[in-house]
Amino acid sequence: MATVSPAASPILDGSALRADFPVFERPTRSGKLLAFLDSAASSQKPRAVIEAIADAYGHHYANVHRGIYELSEDATARFEGARKRLARFIGAPSSREVIFVRNATEAINLVAFSWGRANVGRGDLILSTEMEHHANLVPWQQLAAETGATLEYVAITDDGRIDMTDLHRRLQRGPKLLAISQVSNALGTINPIAEIARLAHEAGALILVDAAQSVPHMPISVLELDADFLALSGHKMLGPSGIGALWGRRSLLDAMPPFLTGGSMISRVTLSGTTWNEVPWKFEAGTPAIAEAIGLAAAIDYLEGLGMANVREHERLLFESAWAALSKIDGVRLLGPADPDQHAGVLSFVVAGIHPHDVATVFDREGIAVRAGHHCAQPVMLHYDLPATTRASFYVYNDLDDVHRLTDAIGTCQKLFAPHG
């Protein structure tokens, strides 16, 4: 069994923070305490978020923007307050640049449908990368198929980093857009977005950043990244599902046509035509996710109470400990960069001779929740000639004991599947 280095001392007390999350009071079928190592898929929710949502529905609910009575004005103030809260959290110059959507997937689709169909035509080049989540691949494939544009993918290195030489070469061809993740959900790679954005802009391209795996885990400033669009999901950052956001530069958003049409996103409607509302409301047709936005604001309050620099450092130390421990286990293959400065708290690995689904099943018997599969990143699996990996992902409620349990469970798997005779 590999040992976990005692030198690592996470800056946050994950064990103490678990008291804020009711899910850890839930008994597991294994009879053991839950070790939740699947936050890259979706995070758990603290009481503060759950209570904020319940309070919104219980005491402050009405439709927003339309009512001229007290309850509606209260709901509107809380909803728009959440927009301002999120704008500050990501360093946006204005809350008017923050569009509420269901999730990062919808945010990327909004750009592909609205900006893409207005600005991309036959023969134009769009760039993505081989490490992307399907949400940052499929919309661009569809856009290219519909417009006659060309879609190409920047290669990745064997240790899971962007091949910068290949990126330079492709940017020389003058793409309209580069769509790239800041953190790979399948590999944990942290991409140098500010440097990549500079190169993209020098080549005349816009850059869309899929920040679903970065905004929850590290300090983010859209201005420092020099992004043009940035997509995020609330459910990965301790918030509720069904709420996410697209940030975009105001000049770009103003010029883009609506994504969905109907109520709320209009300025004036007659039988002969319609004029649109201003941003961000131009892109928010229908009744929005009111309570969910308020819950997201509560999640931001919780994270800022911890300090996002502390969140990043906490996960960095857990990653370092886990990588060191798993590296010592014979038969375990780790994916992604070994450098903790280039690797988020996402650990993808393969145990020789054992399918990742079997690994995850054995882990579940030990009370450990991990993800097994292609992680909606099948091109990554193809790159490594793998059907799937097992993925453990850390967050604020994890600690070194979870790393110990992870390494012990790998040993249990290897003993269980060891050849006999």
Side-chain angles (χ1 to χ4, degrees):
M1 180 187 73
T3 58
V4 177
S5 171
S9 180
I11 196 166
L12 300 177
D13 188 342
S15 177
L17 289 179
R18 284 197 287 272
D20 294 339
F21 295 79
V23 71
F24 294 105
E25 301 168 1
R26 179 185 184 275
T28 67
R29 56 188 168 192
S30 69
K32 301 178 181 180
L33 295 175
L34 172 64
F36 190 78
L37 298 174
D38 193 26
S39 294
S42 196
S43 65
Q44 295 301 329
K45 320 303 173 192
R47 280 188 180 82
V49 169
I50 297 168
E51 291 170 357
I53 296 170
D55 183 56
Y57 277 123
H59 304 103
H60 306 283
Y61 185 80
N63 214 329
V64 295
H65 300 139
R66 302 166 188 167
I68 54 174
Y69 52 91
E70 179 184 1
L71 195 57
S72 177
E73 291 171 351
D74 179 25
T76 299
R78 291 168 182 269
F79 178 75
E80 291 299 334
R83 193 192 308 275
K84 293 175 182 177
R85 195 77 186 82
L86 179 56
R88 290 195 300 271
F89 188 66
I90 61 173
S94 169
S95 63
R96 295 282 296 275
E97 296 176 329
V98 173
I99 300 161
F100 281 130
V101 291
R102 290 181 302 162
N103 43 47
T105 298
E106 184 175 314
I108 295 169
N109 273 273
L110 192 161
V111 177
F113 274 85
S114 179
W115 178 87
R117 283 156 180 78
N119 292 277
V120 175
R122 183 171 299 278
D124 287 336
L125 176 62
I126 309 163
L127 290 183
S128 188
T129 86
E130 291 182 358
M131 72 167 59
E132 300 308 308
H133 188 284
H134 296 164
N136 205 23
L137 290 177
V138 179
W140 309 116
Q141 291 174 347
Q142 292 296 102
L143 177 63
E146 292 179 20
T147 63
T150 299
L151 175 61
E152 295 182 359
Y153 306 99
V154 179
I156 59 175
T157 62
D158 287 342
D159 66 345
R161 294 177 294 112
I162 289 293
D163 185 330
M164 295 299 288
T165 299
D166 189 51
L167 174 65
H168 277 276
R169 180 175 64 84
R170 295 183 189 276
L171 284 174
Q172 289 175 356
R173 295 178 53 203
K176 283 287 188 77
L177 177 78
L178 170 62
I180 184 171
S181 56
Q182 186 172 12
V183 172
S184 165
N185 75 302
L187 298 171
T189 308
I190 302 174
N191 288 317
I193 292 298
E195 177 186 357
I196 291 171
R198 177 181 61 80
L199 296 173
H201 290 149
E202 288 175 355
L206 299 181
I207 181 169
L208 177 143
V209 179
D210 177 356
Q213 299 290 345
S214 57
V215 167
H217 302 285
M218 57 190 68
I220 295 296
S221 165
V222 294
L223 294 183
E224 291 178 7
L225 293 178
D226 200 19
D228 297 296
F229 299 104
L230 182 138
L232 63 92
S233 288
H235 71 95
K236 295 183 188 291
M237 51 188 290
L238 307 182
S241 57
I243 187 74
L246 170 70
W247 172 83
R249 294 187 186 274
R250 179 69 183 273
S251 59
L252 294 171
L253 297 176
D254 281 339
M256 288 161 52
F259 175 40
L260 299 173
T261 56
S264 298
M265 49 72 61
I266 56 88
S267 175
R268 177 176 171 80
V269 176
T270 68
L271 296 181
S272 60
T274 300
T275 56
W276 313 130
N277 204 340
E278 297 179 329
V279 294
W281 307 288
K282 176 172 69 172
F283 296 105
E284 294 179 354
T287 298
I290 301 165
E292 288 78 4
I294 294 169
L296 178 57
I300 292 171
D301 287 343
Y302 186 93
L303 287 169
E304 289 200 328
L306 300 177
M308 291 307 298
N310 292 337
V311 172
R312 168 60 185 146
E313 185 62 17
H314 175 74
E315 294 179 17
R316 185 183 187 277
L317 291 171
L318 291 178
F319 163 77
E320 280 190 283
S321 297
W323 184 277
L326 269 64
S327 295
K328 297 173 184 176
I329 304 176
D330 291 338
V332 171
R333 177 186 178 187
L334 293 165
L335 301 182
D339 184 349
D341 290 331
Q342 299 181 33
H343 204 129
V346 175
L347 200 65
S348 282
F349 60 93
V350 178
V351 183
I354 311 175
H355 194 283
H357 291 169
D358 293 324
V359 173
T361 300
V362 174
F363 279 23
D364 183 53
R365 295 175 185 173
E366 301 296 318
I368 303 170
V370 294
R371 181 65 45 140
H374 54 65
H375 315 298
C376 293
Q378 287 179 299
V380 173
M381 300 300 116
L382 290 171
H383 178 88
Y384 291 103
D385 194 24
L386 294 169
T389 68
T390 304
R391 184 186 70 188
S393 48
F394 303 110
Y395 210 3
V396 298
Y397 35 65
N398 296 121
D399 58 14
L400 285 175
D401 183 61
D402 293 327
V403 178
H404 281 286
R405 292 178 64 184
L406 175 67
T407 57
D408 287 348
I410 292 174
T412 300
C413 283
Q414 291 177 321
K415 290 177 183 176
L416 182 63
F417 286 91
H420 300 285

